[in-house]
Every structure is written in C-alpha cells, then in structure tokens.
Amino acid sequence: MRECEESPDCGSEAKQSVIGHKDDTRSMEHEVRERNSMTKPALSDEILMAVDKPSRYIGNEVNMVVKDISSVDIRFAMCFPDVYEIGMSYLGIQIMYDMFNRREDTWCERVYSPWPDLDRIMRDRKIPLFSLESQTPIREFDFLGITIQYEMCYTNILQVIDLSGIPIFSKDRTKEDPIVIGGGPCTYNPEPIADFFDIFYIGEGETRYHDLLELYKEYKHSDMDRREFLIRASMIEGMYVPQLYDVTYHEDGTITAVTPLDERVPGRVKKNTVTDFATAPYPLKPVVPYLRATQDRVVLEVMRGCIRGCRFCQAGMIYRPTRQKPVELVKSYVDTMLRNTGYDEISISSLSTSDYKGLPELMDFLVERIEKDHIQVSLPSLRVDAFSLDVMQKVQDIHKVSLTFAPEAGSQRLRDVINKGLTEEVILDGVTQAFAGGWNKVKFYFMMGLPTETKEDVEGIPELCEKISEVYFDTVPKEERVGSLSITASASYFVPKPFTPFQWAPMMPRKEYVEHAGYAKDHFRRMRNVKRMRFTYHDQDISLIEGIYARGDRRLSKLVLEVYNRGGIFDAWTEFFRMDRYTEALEALSIDQEFYLTRERSIEEILPWDHLDCGISKAFLIREWERAKQETVTLNCREKCSGCGAACFFPEGPCPAMN
C-alpha cells in the first residue's frame, strides 16, 4: 500500500466507471485500431504478458492526444514519478496535458514510473523508458517535466531519468539532452534533488510555461548553448535554476548564503500564481484510463487555496490566496465532461469544499442531475455541519458510507496551537447530527508529534472518541439502530514542512512518537466503549525520511542517489520501503539525521528555501509560530485579514480570499 493513501486528501476508493458512452463504442474501437496501426509498441506482447497490469504501458486511452510528429516543434514528456494508477488520478497533470496540447507547435505525452516487475525487465534488456502516446524513448523529447508531489518519490525520479538514458546530474547534460524540469509542492524546497534538475517551475503551471517554450524554440534553432538558455530561463518569473546558485555553509552545517552565479540571475525566485481563475485552462476532455485509477471520475476543481490557516498545512499556505471558480462556469463543465468521458461519478475538488461560496447552488444543480441521470457525487473536504449533512443525505443512497472528520489533535489546547479552528463542541454537534441522520460509521484523522504535544494531548484522542460513542448512544434510540457503531481513529507522524509556521519546529524523535502511539493505544483499551473503536498509526520510518527531505538542503542529493543505487524505488509504498537502505546510506555518507529532524531552527537561520518566495511573508510565518507557542488562534481569512502577504498577487485589491 502507498503510504499516503490513508490521508483524507488522497481520495477514497473509486467506483467502477464506464469508459465511454455506448453510442461511441464502435468509433472509439476504430480510433484505437487506427492509432495502434501507426504506433509501434515499445514492449513486445511477450513482455506485456509477463508483467502486472500491462494496460499501464500501452496508451491508447479515450481522449489521449495524438499529433503528427512532423508538425510539432516541441515534444514534452509529462511525468508523474509513481505507478500509472496514482499518476492518472492527479488533476494537475491533466491540466498541463490539456494546456500544452492546445498549442499547435507542442505535443505533450505522458510517462509514469514502471512497476518493479517491468523495471527489472527494462534494465535486463536495455529497453529505454518511453511515452504512452507515441511509445517514443523519453531521451528523444525536448522536455522531461516531472511533477513532485511527495518527498518519498525522490528515488523514483532517478528511476525515470536513469531508465530514460538521460545523465543523472544536470551538470553533465548537453544540448542533445532533454531539459529536465520539476513542478509541484515539493519544489517549494527542491534542494534535496537540486542536482538532478535543470529547472524548477515554482508555482502554478498555467501562467508562464508559454514564455519558457518560446525561449526554448529560440534555443533549439540557434547556436545558444545550454548554460545561456538556463540563464535566460531563470529570468522568467518562477523559474529556479539551481545550478546557477552557489550555497555555502557554516561549520555547524547551517547555510551561510545562497548566491547567484550570474548577475542576470535573480537573487529571489517568486512563485507564479493564477490571478484569473475563471479563464485558466481546464481539461474538459481528460484522458480516461483503461484500468481503475485511484480517482476514477470526473473532477471539478471549484476552488484553489484555503482560508483556514492551519499552521501545519503546507498546501493551505503555498496555494494562497483562495480563488474560486464562478458556479455557472463549474455547472457548464458537468455535461461536457460527463459526455467526453463516459463517467457516472463526479468529485468536487478543493482544499476546503465547505468554504466554496457557490456550493449550495452547485449542489442543487448536481442533485437534479443525480435524480435525472443517476450519476454519483463525491464530496471530500467538507466540514461536517448541518448544511453538509443535508447535502450528503441527498447525494448518498440508502447505504451510507462512513463520514470522515479531521480534528488533527485530541485536545482543545493542541487544536488551538495548530490553529485548527475546530472546537470539541463543533465536533460533537457534527457527529450528533450525523448519527441522527442515519450514519453509524465515522473516521477521525489525527496527527501525533505536533509542536508542544504532551501525553495529556495524546490522551485526548481516545477520550474524544469515547465522548463521540456516548453521543451515539444518547442520540439514537435502541430500536432505531441499524448495524453497530464503528469509530476509527488514525494517527500520522507529523512532519514539519517549509513555508508553514512550523518550519522552525523540531520533529518529534522516533522513540517519543512510538511512546505516544503506545500510550494512545493503551488509553483506548481503558475506554468504556472500546469494542466500538479501532486505533491505527502510520509507519514512523517513512515519516522520518520524509522529514529529512522536507527541510533538507542540496547536500542530500547524495543521499537520494545512494539509496537509489542500493535499489530503492517506490519508497512511498510500504511493501517496497526498506529503512535499512536509508540507515546504511546515512551512515555511509556521514549524514547526521538529527540535524535535519529534531533540532529547533532559529528564526535567524537561513533556511534552504529562503531564496524562494511563495508570496507568504516570513514576518507572517514568524508571527504565527509565536502565536502557536502562545496557544492563540488566528481567525480565518474571511473573518479578518491576517496580513499574510498573499494579497501581493492582486495589487489592485482586494485579496480574493476576503470575498
């Protein structure tokens, strides 16, 4: 199992979906045969029959884009460095795929990490990694674009580069090699993988890629050398070229300075942000996979960013300010996307769906479609209140799946520290309404190892679950109970992330985390309704490595390479992750893991990502760090502006988060 799959933001199990409308089946089959006749498969039938899920590698899915190679000037390989089913679920790649392929001069194709069975065969038989659309070796492309969503995919990035036949280190590449460019949330501290990338695109991809592609065409058809291209690329807002910066260190291992190596290179790289969210490109004909993906449904992104200001949440900070799509626009997407995909399920996408102002109108529209066309609607990221429960009553059938809450911390004190903005009264009121509405299965997500956490805070997890069980028995009369109450509490190991108020916080030592997890488990056993409860906690070893990478510097590129050379790939999956590989690599390279994990950073320390600018001011993050220590809550953006700095993207004002 992939380690992050239990996260409430990673989606739930997908329903079986139709690949196309019945009326279109014959034409689609003809189209697939026509494509196959033009494209020579990179893998033989013998190999495909020998590997798990061969449809991961054959392409030819519905809505796949095919172009005449002779008619395009730029070939862009878009990569998600994980298995096909995970990558196909990522909306960001679908957006970029659609945007690039709207250009007549560009053909964007897809590539994913080969599963270990095919990885072995490709190495043994020296088969280069290839794209799905044209089955072309990746080394023949102009760009290899890699989205970096999770630190534990770093070794898979090397797998992709290595199998493609591209030099691992950016410094060793020539004009004959593709430009390797990275994007996604991990680029807000890309230093641990800086040696492997030519460019990191900082921010939202819909804004400045066209400028980069135009520059690339000039480079490609001239005698401009690779270094000059990279220097000029760095002058485009949001383009960070790590090899053009020198990093020096103090004797204690902290950073002295990050200095540009050319006067034309900016000293600080500011992220790109979509300012007109309504007109931003959106894929109305997304590629439909042949096998079930993690998110196998139409996805409607209604909002980007979050108003809540949870101090542990990197996404809530780096995607500021909140921007919303007009509800009429979202409604117009529905018929088009259902028709273009054949799906019968829709998922609403945002960091906090309940905060989307158009939700009541959108839900009235979707409920009408549910009754008319028998589609299903998935609503992740809802705050469980009366309106949300009413909506869920309408979109779920008689079988009520479990409800998910994310209190994050067991005690009110600790919820105030992390600025969760959720009181015990609100939680209990929400479950009261849920139980009255017929639900009897609830899931709760917590974190352990949060800054200032004590054993009393850990005790709060089972005690809160006990109060919830009491609410059920007080709310639902015995004669009306259908099935038995089930309460599942899942705890993950908190990892401090860059550009959050907790970026200076120490990560809880492994021994202490295990003690806290054991303490919580023992306390659950003392609860009166323990038979109705289940408690699980996440693997601590994977979280420790994630913690090293999350706030690491570029010296850790050696660690990524060392682990990869020792056979490490798919480290995000518990069945493939091996802590001994990392332990041995850390020892071989004399890396002090506690330097990266358990020490509290001074606010005066130069952090590895300080030369990047996500639009959130450091002064705001420092204020929030101090308020966390004081257990003081900060109001959400709609209640009161906290002066985070994100309004800088809208100099004409007002900040859209206030709307």
Side-chain angles (χ1 to χ4, degrees), residues 458-519:
V458 174
E459 285 179 0
I461 297 175
E463 289 172 0
L464 179 61
C465 292
E466 177 73 3
K467 290 176 183 177
I468 288 162
S469 69
E470 291 170 354
V471 166
Y472 175 79
F473 293 114
D474 290 342
T475 302
V476 185
K478 191 171 184 179
E479 63 275 11
E480 295 180 14
R481 295 170 194 166
V482 178
S484 59
L485 172 67
S486 172
I487 298 173
T488 301
S490 175
S492 60
Y493 194 167
F494 171 66
V495 177
K497 293 294 177 85
F499 292 110
T500 69
F502 292 160
Q503 65 182 2
W504 294 282
M507 188 168 171
M508 178 177 281
R510 180 186 186 279
K511 181 180 178 182
E512 192 174 342
Y513 169 78
V514 173
E515 287 177 354
H516 278 212
Y519 189 70

Side-chain angles (χ1 to χ4, degrees), residues 204-251:
E204 296 168 345
E206 299 99 323
T207 55
R208 301 304 295 270
Y209 256 117
H210 294 298
D211 296 333
L212 181 65
L213 296 185
E214 291 302 318
L215 173 62
Y216 180 80
K217 287 196 294 185
E218 181 184 346
Y219 161 67
K220 182 177 180 178
H221 299 295
S222 71
D223 59 359
M224 186 190 307
D225 63 23
R226 194 177 182 95
R227 181 176 175 82
E228 180 62 20
F229 166 75
L230 292 175
I231 289 173
R232 291 180 59 180
S234 75
M235 298 162 67
I236 300 172
E237 187 166 272
M239 305 297 167
Y240 171 46
V241 182
Q243 64 182 271
L244 299 179
Y245 295 79
D246 180 55
V247 183
T248 54
Y249 300 89
H250 295 292
E251 287 186 8

Side-chain angles (χ1 to χ4, degrees), residues 25 66 82 104-105 146 173-174 184 190 209 216 267 346 367 441 482 496 519 569 595 624:
T25 302
V66 177
D82 206 324
E104 292 185 0
D105 63 354
I146 303 175
R173 296 176 195 142
T174 69
Y209 256 117
Y216 180 80
I346 293 171
V367 166
K441 293 180 175 61
V482 178
Y519 189 70
I569 55 173
F595 174 82
E624 285 298 290

Side-chain angles (χ1 to χ4, degrees), residues 16 266 487 562:
Q16 184 64 47
I487 298 173
E562 181 71 18

Side-chain angles (χ1 to χ4, degrees), residues 70-251:
S70 63
S71 70
V72 298
D73 200 14
I74 298 174
R75 299 190 66 188
F76 198 112
M78 181 65 71
C79 172
F80 194 101
D82 206 324
V83 72
Y84 175 91
E85 300 94 298
I86 300 294
M88 280 295 290
S89 303
Y90 176 56
L91 177 61
I93 279 190
Q94 295 273 17
I95 291 174
M96 302 306 295
Y97 183 84
D98 176 76
M99 184 186 80
F100 284 134
N101 281 320
R102 291 184 189 186
R103 292 178 58 114
E104 292 185 0
D105 63 354
T106 303
W107 184 10
C108 181
E109 305 182 47
R110 294 161 298 132
V111 60
Y112 303 98
S113 287
W115 197 241
D117 55 358
L118 181 59
D119 178 277
R120 287 189 293 271
I121 292 172
M122 293 178 74
R123 293 177 193 277
D124 290 344
R125 303 195 185 188
K126 295 182 170 47
I127 300 171
L129 189 60
F130 53 89
S131 65
L132 294 186
E133 279 74 2
S134 66
Q135 304 279 292
T136 301
I138 301 303
R139 199 178 189 281
E140 297 180 18
F141 282 73
D142 297 290
F143 284 88
L144 170 58
I146 303 175
T147 183
I148 317 166
Q149 297 293 309
Y150 182 35
E151 292 86 351
M152 297 311 295
C153 288
Y154 286 173
T155 50
N156 275 51
I157 290 171
L158 297 193
Q159 177 207 29
V160 167
I161 295 173
D162 192 16
L163 286 177
S164 299
I166 301 169
I168 292 288
F169 292 102
S170 58
K171 63 182 177 61
D172 296 329
R173 296 176 195 142
T174 69
K175 195 164 184 173
E176 302 304 311
D177 297 303
I179 300 296
V180 180
I181 183 168
C186 288
T187 62
Y188 287 89
N189 177 27
E191 294 303 289
I193 46 175
D195 289 348
F196 314 127
F197 282 82
D198 300 304
I199 304 172
F200 290 105
Y201 184 111
I202 312 298
E204 296 168 345
E206 299 99 323
T207 55
R208 301 304 295 270
Y209 256 117
H210 294 298
D211 296 333
L212 181 65
L213 296 185
E214 291 302 318
L215 173 62
Y216 180 80
K217 287 196 294 185
E218 181 184 346
Y219 161 67
K220 182 177 180 178
H221 299 295
S222 71
D223 59 359
M224 186 190 307
D225 63 23
R226 194 177 182 95
R227 181 176 175 82
E228 180 62 20
F229 166 75
L230 292 175
I231 289 173
R232 291 180 59 180
S234 75
M235 298 162 67
I236 300 172
E237 187 166 272
M239 305 297 167
Y240 171 46
V241 182
Q243 64 182 271
L244 299 179
Y245 295 79
D246 180 55
V247 183
T248 54
Y249 300 89
H250 295 292
E251 287 186 8

Side-chain angles (χ1 to χ4, degrees), residues 624-637:
E624 285 298 290
W625 178 221
E626 294 302 324
R627 288 172 72 84
K629 294 175 182 177
Q630 296 161 9
E631 303 171 13
T632 304
V633 172
T634 298
L635 296 176
N636 72 60
C637 297

